[in-house]
Amino acid sequence: GAVVSQHPSRVICKSGTSVKIECRSLDFQATTMFWYRQFPKQSLMLMATSNEGSKATYEQGVEKDKFLINHASLTLSTLTVTSAHPEDSSFYICSARAVLETDTQYFGPGTRLTVL
Amino acid sequence: ILNVEQSPQSLHVQEGDSTNFTCSFPSSNFYALHWYRWETAKSPEALFVMTLNGDEKKKGRISATLNTKEGYSYLYIKGSQPEDSATYLCASHTGGFKTIFGAGTRLFVKA
């Protein structure tokens, strides 16, 4: 149980285009989903926390107009990188916290974004 | 310590060796410490969550200890196997419900 899928696993796009990444909890309901970004050899850095039905809370330094997060249902959150630039190239990974569980995060497999 | 730090960054061991690595975290406002195992091309998998000073958890050949007063946790692997090769992440969960991750220790077990 507690499987989180993420799609796509890899995307290559041209500079200026927008890319949408989906994060789904497959067998549980997730009140809270987290979006992380990881640069090579660095830690997972929290970008934003999204709660179902409300606006996401962004970490300091993360542009909310650049990284649009939607959490429309208890099983789906999306991250849209708008007008992507080469510096947005990174590994993006989501996690979900189940209803009634306050400690454990279940992670998706991540998305490798390359912006040319 | 303001960040979560893991050492070593990477580790190469022979099959059958026992090994351990360290996670250091801020001891103030501590709530919980998590260990995850992350194999290449897969999702990070939760191994342990520990909350109390002195906690010890065990799962098969893998165990972990926690010292919240000095802000460190050790992960031990007994008799390493090639399938143990992965990145081991620790994450500190603070009272403000923020989770801060370390950069991980990448373990390579050679057959």
Side-chain angles (χ1 to χ4, degrees):
Chain A
V3 178
V4 175
S5 71
Q6 203 172 323
H7 179 79
S9 58
R10 186 179 292 269
V11 58
I12 301 172
C13 69
K14 290 183 180 178
S15 188
T17 59
S18 293
V19 174
K20 182 187 277 189
I21 303 169
E22 290 188 352
C23 178
R24 290 181 189 273
S25 55
L26 298 184
D27 51 2
F28 66 100
Q29 292 186 322
T31 49
T32 305
M33 287 185 170
F34 303 90
W35 286 96
Y36 295 86
R37 181 174 182 176
Q38 186 185 36
F39 291 106
K41 295 187 180 179
Q42 293 189 25
S43 313
L44 295 177
M45 297 298 296
L46 181 65
M47 298 174 67
T49 302
S50 83
N51 291 295
E52 185 265 338
S54 63
K55 287 185 180 179
T57 303
Y58 289 81
E59 295 299 300
Q60 195 171 17
V62 178
E63 299 174 57
K64 61 181 180 182
D65 295 329
K66 172 78 173 173
F67 299 99
L68 299 178
I69 291 172
N70 184 281
H71 191 163
S73 78
L74 283 171
T75 59
L76 173 65
S77 176
T78 60
L79 167 69
T80 301
V81 183
T82 61
S83 187
H85 290 283
E87 58 265 28
D88 298 323
S89 298
S90 190
F91 184 76
Y92 294 87
I93 189 168
C94 70
S95 71
R97 195 161 65 197
V99 175
L100 301 181
E101 285 192 51
T102 56
D103 291 337
T104 303
Q105 294 183 39
Y106 300 99
F107 283 87
T111 297
R112 172 74 60 192
L113 171 63
T114 304
V115 185
L116 303 174
Chain B
I1 298 173
L2 298 177
N3 295 316
V4 175
E5 296 169 5
Q6 289 187 249
S7 64
Q9 195 173 66
S10 65
L11 192 54
H12 293 252
V13 302
Q14 288 290 132
E15 182 177 0
D17 286 352
S18 293
T19 187
N20 66 83
F21 19 95
T22 307
C23 172
S24 300
F25 55 89
S27 53
S28 61
N29 216 22
F30 173 83
Y31 182 78
L33 192 284
H34 300 257
W35 280 99
Y36 293 88
R37 181 171 178 275
W38 194 1
E39 288 183 74
T40 304
K42 294 187 179 179
S43 306
E45 172 198 353
L47 284 175
F48 305 115
V49 56
M50 295 179 287
T51 56
L52 298 176
N53 184 46
D55 260 355
E56 289 188 30
K57 293 281 178 88
K58 190 174 180 184
K59 193 175 188 177
R61 293 179 291 99
I62 305 177
S63 60
T65 61
L66 179 68
N67 182 321
T68 60
K69 292 183 179 177
E70 294 178 47
Y72 65 84
S73 175
Y74 292 133
L75 188 81
Y76 300 90
I77 301 178
K78 188 177 177 182
S80 303
Q81 299 296 307
E83 58 265 30
D84 295 329
S85 298
T87 297
Y88 291 83
L89 292 177
C90 76
S92 173
H93 190 167
T94 67
F97 295 104
K98 286 213 176 226
T99 302
I100 304 171
F101 281 84
T105 291
R106 190 136 187 229
L107 176 66
F108 300 89
V109 183
K110 189 175 179 182

